[in-house]
Amino acid sequence: MRRRGLLLMAWFMISPGALANFTILDAQRWPAGEGKIILTFDDGPNARQDVSMRLLDVLGRHDVKGTFFYIGRRVEAYPDIVARTVREGHQVGVHAYSHGWPVWFDSASLRREIETARTAIRRAANRPDLPLEMYRPPRGILTPATWRLLAQCEIALGHLTAYHRDSGSGPAEANEVLQAAKETLMKYSGGVIVFHSSRYKSNQDSDNLVDKSWLPAAIEDLILWARDREFEFTHYPGIADDCADS
């Protein structure tokens, strides 16, 4: 497995144009330029300080639908949060099951990782028919295995317009992260932004999490700011449109 990962990393270094397709960042892709925002959240759910529940409260209060890229292991730990997310009409996608490094996954391993997470989400939501095409690879890394699943229309990519390095940000950095998100949305006239509703400081088995208690209030601030500037909130179109464009 380690040898395969090293070969994949070598591919990124020597393949012509590979670096341009290395991450999920794409500042030119819809909804940038359209005055629309896709508000996404990674690494949840998070039951600490009721972060995920308070976040859902904020979105519901303002009638905004978010897109949540959940980690399968955390879904199994907090199924009630996932059930509420689906029940309230938010878009749900797969971030991973284990949040391992994608570079180690061949196509079969990646497919298992995604399917295991899908199963956990559908079981938590009690929705065996729940569409879960959207996929955002951990750390935003695109590998040959990811591109193969995209080409086969097994997944649709949860791309980003920009990344504001919020994953390890606690309350002291909240204003800086929020301002960076607003600057991105103004610069590109909309786009896809991400906030991490949960993040491990070190070993995920220790449940040693970064303090994300600031996030619900920050999202409320962002929603009010965006609506004052006549931005609209939307979601990813899904796999059919993604494949139609390929």
Side-chain angles (χ1 to χ4, degrees):
M1 179 67 75
R2 180 173 178 79
R3 181 173 180 273
R4 185 183 298 118
L6 292 173
L7 289 172
L8 288 173
M9 286 188 283
W11 179 88
F12 284 124
M13 290 188 288
I14 65 176
S15 178
L19 288 178
N21 298 320
F22 185 59
T23 76
I24 61 173
L25 292 174
D26 188 344
Q28 305 306 314
R29 190 170 178 180
W30 182 92
E34 299 289 338
K36 298 180 185 296
I37 300 169
I38 300 178
L39 190 56
T40 73
F41 303 93
D42 283 5
D43 288 5
N46 182 2
R48 285 280 189 92
Q49 299 152 326
D50 291 327
V51 169
S52 288
M53 288 300 197
R54 290 192 294 120
L55 184 57
L56 291 170
D57 288 344
V58 168
L59 295 173
R61 186 156 58 244
H62 296 283
D63 194 25
V64 171
K65 303 303 182 188
T67 299
F68 291 81
F69 289 96
Y70 280 144
I71 296 174
R73 287 180 58 171
R74 298 193 64 77
V75 167
E76 292 173 342
Y78 308 113
D80 290 349
I81 297 174
V82 180
R84 179 181 170 187
T85 305
V86 173
R87 187 168 61 249
E88 295 183 359
H90 299 285
Q91 188 174 36
V92 175
V94 170
H95 196 26
Y97 179 78
S98 63
H99 206 276
W101 280 89
V103 73
W104 300 116
F105 297 148
D106 57 20
S107 295
S109 299
L110 178 59
R111 188 178 287 110
R112 281 194 301 272
E113 179 85 1
I114 292 171
E115 287 301 328
T116 304
R118 284 173 171 168
T119 297
I121 293 168
R122 287 170 176 147
R123 183 177 294 125
N126 195 25
R127 284 279 307 278
D129 60 339
L130 184 67
L132 291 169
E133 302 100 341
M134 299 308 305
Y135 172 65
R136 176 173 288 164
R139 301 172 178 86
I141 297 173
L142 297 178
T143 66
T146 311
W147 283 114
R148 278 192 285 274
L149 295 191
L150 283 166
Q152 294 164 8
C153 291
E154 295 185 42
I155 55 175
L157 186 65
H159 71 281
L160 286 175
T161 304
Y163 175 54
H164 307 113
R165 300 187 182 278
D166 77 294
S167 58
S169 298
E173 296 82 28
N175 287 337
E176 180 181 348
V177 170
L178 187 57
Q179 183 60 32
K182 291 174 180 177
E183 290 174 1
T184 290
L185 295 171
M186 291 299 292
K187 178 179 180 179
Y188 295 105
S189 186
V192 186
I193 55 175
V194 62
F195 292 89
H196 288 73
S197 59
S198 176
R199 187 69 166 187
Y200 295 103
K201 292 180 182 176
S202 53
N203 183 357
Q204 59 183 318
D205 292 325
S206 71
D207 202 29
N208 185 20
L209 300 180
V210 175
D211 181 0
K212 294 293 182 179
S213 60
W214 57 272
L215 185 59
I219 294 303
E220 188 153 38
D221 181 299
L222 181 67
I223 290 170
L224 295 172
W225 173 90
R227 286 196 164 147
D228 281 346
R229 288 154 183 80
E230 299 186 345
F231 285 104
E232 297 178 16
F233 289 92
T234 187
H235 54 78
Y236 294 103
I239 200 164
D241 297 72
D242 212 54
C243 285
D245 292 339
S246 62

